[in-house]
């Protein structure tokens, strides 16, 4: 173990913890004791600071109940759960929805429960680790295609065995690149080759579409998605995740998804918060629009300065700097200048594509973002990065 740690250190791959807590000003954090503009959280609507109030007695009771005491199937099924899941299914336009303890648990549990080892899964190379692990758990054959290479995906679909089922699984917004899945094409391929389509809306739920319903809804394609997954710890400012879909799908997961059956349910207080924040998020179309406008201006200024933001088209904006060492040097300099700018290295991203991942939120004021941009651009010039 010690030698592995040493090796990781030499390669610039050792990770370490720094204490982080909310600062008084929304959009700012105190990190390692220093006040920093928070350009790293997934709190896209600023709802982590939301102080919801409610006159609803069920929600009030749930807000005060901090332990579920058991799994859902035993005595952990507080009435706030069906209330939340009904609201979620209504927003998503699905027959039903099911809450999981985390996005990691939702993806691994769902894929392992649905996909059999006789099936083939088609997975974008940049899909989240929880999807990769879920496919591994299922034991299915996997065809990984290069990011957005739909030609390669189609070829793989054509050549796949006709015996088992086919599953196309993709992030809606890719977490480290800020790119958006080509949903229209994926839906066409799904129908043409008789595949199921699972969409992970971790970074798009609450952020895209009318009422923040998600990317599938933004493209009016929701009825073509068989399994709609999303998280509650990002734009919804709470914790947990969900799967939305047909009633039979949800009933199947309640019997077979091991990460749902064999775990203590989320505390009712967390679920109540998810419900209130979901309701709040549904009313934030204006904030969603401003967020994407700010992201566009942020990207354009970085690109105008000759910096590489990849193909981002969302609130997630990577600044690609190549080596791990470059990412570490830039991260340290930006943090010293008051920005929570975190280096992202392999295995989170492919080797040679280390980056700083900036994420913008509705809590940011443009003056602060402009100041951050000036700092980022001058620091990159000083360090001779990306020019
Ligand atoms: N899917 C994607 C695309 C993610 O980015 C993440 C978390 N970063 C997850 C799933 C896992 O969600 P959670 O953090 O709730 O476990």
């Amino acid at each position: 173990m010690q030698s592995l740690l040493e090796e990781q250190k030499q390669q610039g791959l050792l990770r370490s913890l720094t204490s982080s807590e909310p600062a008084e000003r929304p959009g700012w954090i105190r990190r390692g004791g220093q006040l920093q503009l928070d350009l790293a959280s997934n709190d896209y609507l600023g709802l982590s600071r939301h102080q919801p109030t409610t006159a609803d007695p069920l929600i009030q009771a749930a807000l005060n109940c901090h332990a579920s005491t058991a799994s859902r199937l035993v005595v952990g099924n507080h009435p706030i759960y069906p209330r939340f899941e009904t609201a979620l299914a209504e927003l998503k336009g699905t027959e039903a929805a099911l809450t999981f303890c985390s996005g990691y648990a939702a993806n691994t549990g769902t894929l392992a429960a649905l996909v059999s080892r006789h099936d083939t899964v088609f997975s974008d190379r940049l899909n989240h680790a929880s999807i990769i692990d879920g496919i591994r758990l299922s034991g299915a054959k996997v065809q990984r295609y290069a990011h957005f290479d739909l030609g390669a995906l189609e070829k793989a679909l054509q050549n796949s065995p006709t015996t088992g089922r086919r599953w196309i699984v993709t992030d809606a917004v890719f977490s480290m690149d800020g790119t958006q899945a080509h949903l229209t094409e994926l839906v066409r391929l799904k129908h043409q080759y008789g595949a199921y389509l699972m969409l992970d809306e971790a970074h798009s739920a609450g952020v895209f579409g009318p009422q923040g319903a998600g990317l599938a809804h933004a493209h009016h394609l929701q009825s073509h998605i068989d399994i709609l997954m999303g998280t509650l710890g990002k734009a919804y400012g709470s914790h947990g995740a969900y799967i939305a879909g047909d009633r039979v799908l949800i009933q199947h997961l309640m019997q077979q998804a091991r990460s749902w059956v064999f775990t203590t349910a989320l505390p009712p207080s967390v679920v109540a918060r998810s419900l209130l924040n979901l309701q709040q998020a549904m009313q934030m179309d204006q904030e969603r629009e401003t967020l994407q406008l700010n992201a566009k201006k942020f990207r354009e200024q970085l690109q105008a300065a000759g910096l590489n933001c990849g193909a981002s088209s969302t609130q997630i904006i990577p600044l690609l700097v190549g080596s791990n060492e470059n990412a570490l040097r830039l991260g340290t300099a930006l943090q010293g200048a008051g920005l929570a700018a975190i280096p992202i290295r392999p295995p989170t991203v492919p080797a040679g594509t280390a980056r700083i991942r900036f994420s913008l939120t509705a809590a940011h004021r443009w003056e602060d973002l402009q100041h951050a941009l000036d700092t980022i651009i001058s620091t990159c010039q000083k360090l001779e990065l990306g020019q």
Side-chain angles (χ1 to χ4, degrees), residues 308-332:
N308 181 0
C309 300
S312 159
S313 60
T314 66
Q315 76 283 359
I316 299 170
I317 303 167
L319 171 46
L320 290 129
V321 291
S323 71
N324 302 334
E325 196 207 339
N326 280 348
L328 287 172
R329 273 174 41 210
L330 181 58
T332 304

Side-chain angles (χ1 to χ4, degrees), residues 42 102-105 107 128 130 171 173 175 200 202-203 229 231 234 240-241:
N42 302 313
S102 70
Y104 188 89
N107 276 339
H128 190 258
S130 53
D171 285 15
V173 166
S175 56
D200 176 337
H203 298 275
M229 178 272 184
T231 56
K234 296 182 169 74

Side-chain angles (χ1 to χ4, degrees), residues 104-159:
Y104 188 89
N107 276 339
T108 51
T110 299
L111 284 161
L114 288 179
V115 179
S116 94
R117 66 192 171 83
H118 307 293
D119 297 347
T120 307
V121 185
F122 302 85
S123 174
D124 188 295
R125 259 189 200 282
L126 295 189
N127 275 345
H128 190 258
S130 53
I131 294 178
I132 297 168
D133 292 358
I135 298 170
R136 279 193 194 134
L137 276 173
S138 77
K141 287 178 282 301
V142 57
Q143 295 281 347
R144 296 176 77 203
Y145 55 93
H147 188 44
F148 288 165
D149 188 346
L150 297 176
L153 168 60
E154 181 153 17
K155 214 173 270 166
L157 281 161
Q158 278 163 357
N159 296 332

